Coordinates of all heavy atoms in Angstrom, one line a residue:
D18 N -40.1 141.0 -6.7 CA -40.9 141.9 -7.6 C -40.6 143.3 -7.4 O -40.6 144.1 -8.4 CB -42.4 141.6 -7.3 CG -42.9 140.2 -7.6 OD1 -42.1 139.4 -8.3 OD2 -43.9 139.7 -7.2
E19 N -40.4 143.8 -6.1 CA -40.2 145.2 -5.9 C -38.9 145.6 -6.5 O -38.8 146.8 -7.0 CB -40.1 145.5 -4.4 CG -41.5 145.3 -3.7 CD -41.8 143.9 -3.3 OE1 -41.0 142.9 -3.5 OE2 -42.9 143.7 -2.9
A20 N -37.8 144.8 -6.5 CA -36.6 145.2 -7.2 C -36.8 145.4 -8.6 O -36.2 146.3 -9.3 CB -35.5 144.1 -6.9
L21 N -37.5 144.5 -9.3 CA -37.7 144.6 -10.7 C -38.6 145.8 -11.0 O -38.3 146.6 -12.0 CB -38.5 143.4 -11.3 CG -37.7 142.1 -11.4 CD1 -38.6 141.0 -11.9 CD2 -36.5 142.3 -12.3
L22 N -39.5 146.2 -10.2 CA -40.3 147.4 -10.3 C -39.4 148.6 -10.2 O -39.5 149.5 -11.0 CB -41.5 147.4 -9.3 CG -42.4 148.7 -9.4 CD1 -43.0 148.7 -10.8 CD2 -43.4 148.7 -8.3
T23 N -38.5 148.6 -9.3 CA -37.6 149.7 -9.1 C -36.7 149.8 -10.3 O -36.4 150.9 -10.7 CB -36.7 149.5 -7.8 OG1 -37.6 149.4 -6.7 CG2 -35.7 150.6 -7.6
G24 N -36.4 148.6 -10.9 CA -35.5 148.7 -12.0 C -36.2 149.4 -13.3 O -35.5 150.0 -14.1
L25 N -37.5 149.4 -13.3 CA -38.2 150.1 -14.3 C -37.9 151.7 -14.3 O -37.8 152.3 -15.3 CB -39.8 150.0 -14.2 CG -40.4 148.7 -14.7 CD1 -41.9 148.8 -14.4 CD2 -40.1 148.4 -16.1
T26 N -37.8 152.2 -13.0 CA -37.6 153.6 -12.9 C -36.2 154.0 -13.2 O -35.9 155.1 -13.6 CB -37.9 154.1 -11.4 OG1 -37.0 153.4 -10.5 CG2 -39.3 153.8 -11.1
T27 N -35.2 153.0 -13.2 CA -33.9 153.3 -13.6 C -33.6 153.3 -15.0 O -32.6 153.7 -15.5 CB -32.9 152.3 -12.9 OG1 -33.1 151.0 -13.4 CG2 -33.0 152.4 -11.4
G28 N -34.5 152.7 -15.8 CA -34.4 152.6 -17.3 C -33.5 151.5 -17.7 O -33.2 151.4 -18.8
D29 N -33.3 150.5 -16.8 CA -32.5 149.4 -17.2 C -33.3 148.5 -18.1 O -34.3 147.9 -17.6 CB -32.0 148.6 -15.9 CG -31.2 147.4 -16.1 OD1 -31.4 146.7 -17.1 OD2 -30.3 147.2 -15.3
P30 N -32.9 148.3 -19.3 CA -33.7 147.5 -20.2 C -33.8 146.0 -19.8 O -34.9 145.4 -20.0 CB -33.0 147.6 -21.6 CG -31.7 148.2 -21.3 CD -31.7 148.8 -20.0
E31 N -32.8 145.4 -19.2 CA -32.8 144.0 -18.8 C -33.9 143.8 -17.7 O -34.6 142.9 -17.7 CB -31.5 143.6 -18.3 CG -30.5 143.3 -19.4 CD -29.2 142.8 -18.9 OE1 -29.2 142.0 -17.9 OE2 -28.1 143.2 -19.5

Side-chain angles (χ1 to χ4, degrees):
D18 295 345
E19 290 82 8
L21 287 178
L22 181 62
T23 301
L25 282 180
T26 62
T27 66
D29 183 324
E31 287 183 34

